[in-house]
Amino acid sequence: LFAMGSITFGYAAVISVLLSNVVLRRIRLLCNQASSVAASGQATQRVTIGGNDELGELAVRMNEMLESIDRSRQAAEAASRAKTDFLA
């Protein structure tokens, strides 16, 4: 009985490690992509994390935020050009 418990515990530990590695790999990928966007200052970049879980949802929301930032930047540039043209 003790041996069966030890074997079960061993399997559970291995499965736990494998699952945590999968999740941590996706979190690291998302962090690296977010750092790349921040370092470049380019709101036109997008993050790519697949999945229908919370990390996938976070990536979708980050891309929506980047799209909003890019639209705001484009609108500000257009307003600046219009002002320059008007004053010229």
Side-chain angles (χ1 to χ4, degrees):
L1 186 63
F2 178 74
M4 286 180 54
S6 296
I7 291 171
T8 302
F9 179 75
Y11 283 135
V14 168
I15 290 171
S16 176
V17 167
L18 292 175
L19 286 176
S20 67
N21 283 339
V22 169
V23 171
L24 290 176
R25 184 176 344 115
R26 292 179 67 220
I27 291 171
R28 280 192 295 272
L29 179 60
L30 183 59
C31 287
N32 289 341
Q33 290 180 11
S35 294
S36 176
V37 170
S40 72
Q42 297 295 318
T44 55
Q45 290 184 337
R46 298 295 178 259
V47 296
T48 54
I49 302 290
N52 294 323
D53 58 1
E54 289 82 0
L55 287 176
E57 183 69 19
L58 179 58
V60 168
R61 298 296 164 237
M62 288 177 70
N63 287 333
E64 289 173 351
M65 179 182 63
L66 289 167
E67 180 67 30
S68 177
I69 291 168
D70 191 44
R71 281 193 310 269
S72 295
R73 181 194 52 78
Q74 290 175 8
E77 288 175 355
S80 179
R81 281 191 304 272
K83 178 183 171 185
T84 300
D85 292 346
F86 177 76
L87 294 175

